[in-house]
Amino acid sequence: MNSGAVLTLLVGLGLVCFGVVRWRQIRDLRRTGVRSVGTVVGHEQDADDGSVFSPVVTFVDAAGHTRRFTADLRVSWRVHPVGEEVPVRYPPGRPYAARLGSTTHDALTVGVPLGAGALFAVFGLLGLFYG
């Protein structure tokens, strides 16, 4: 058996599983989460090479407190410019667990792992059958 093909298939399936779990988290938060509007106030750069950015967002929670968080999205360009208003969602009673709720953010955090996972899985299967 081709161990490289098996590894490629497993990586692909792992990425697909990650994408599905992330999609379910986003779906659940859209259904039950508290909504707010945030403002991008800056971008945090990756400390290692400085070429990866994450939006820093402030918003006001349901209790009227101003909160600040750094989105979990890390990409090589500034997805949301400073000053842009963005949707924010958080679990009820947990504004410290806020997440960026933009369509772009959701598409990247779900679509990239699903797409890459599917591609790896296909190449892994092809390697098993033809390798």
Side-chain angles (χ1 to χ4, degrees):
M1 186 175 288
N2 183 342
S3 62
V6 171
L7 181 60
T8 303
L9 177 61
L10 290 175
V11 168
L13 293 176
L15 285 169
V16 167
C17 287
F18 176 81
V20 169
V21 167
R22 183 73 177 125
W23 171 76
R24 291 186 69 187
Q25 291 171 339
I26 290 169
R27 181 197 64 191
D28 292 347
L29 197 55
R30 283 186 176 204
R31 287 182 183 168
T32 63
V34 178
R35 296 174 186 195
S36 185
V37 175
T39 302
V40 177
V41 295
H43 294 90
E44 186 177 286
Q45 284 185 289
D46 185 287
D48 292 334
D49 64 9
S51 64
V52 180
F53 304 94
S54 299
V56 178
V57 179
T58 61
F59 71 100
V60 177
D61 65 19
H65 299 107
T66 299
R67 304 280 181 158
R68 181 183 180 118
F69 71 96
T70 301
D72 58 354
L73 178 66
R74 300 191 187 301
V75 293
S76 60
W77 74 97
R78 291 173 173 92
V79 174
H80 298 287
V82 171
E84 180 179 2
E85 288 189 346
V86 291
V88 172
R89 291 184 179 85
Y90 59 89
R94 296 180 31 211
Y96 53 85
R99 295 175 97 66
L100 188 58
S102 73
T103 303
T104 303
H105 177 264
D106 293 348
L108 288 170
T109 57
V110 171
V112 170
L114 283 176
L119 193 61
F120 272 79
V122 166
F123 282 127
L125 287 172
L126 289 174
L128 286 175
F129 289 121
Y130 298 110

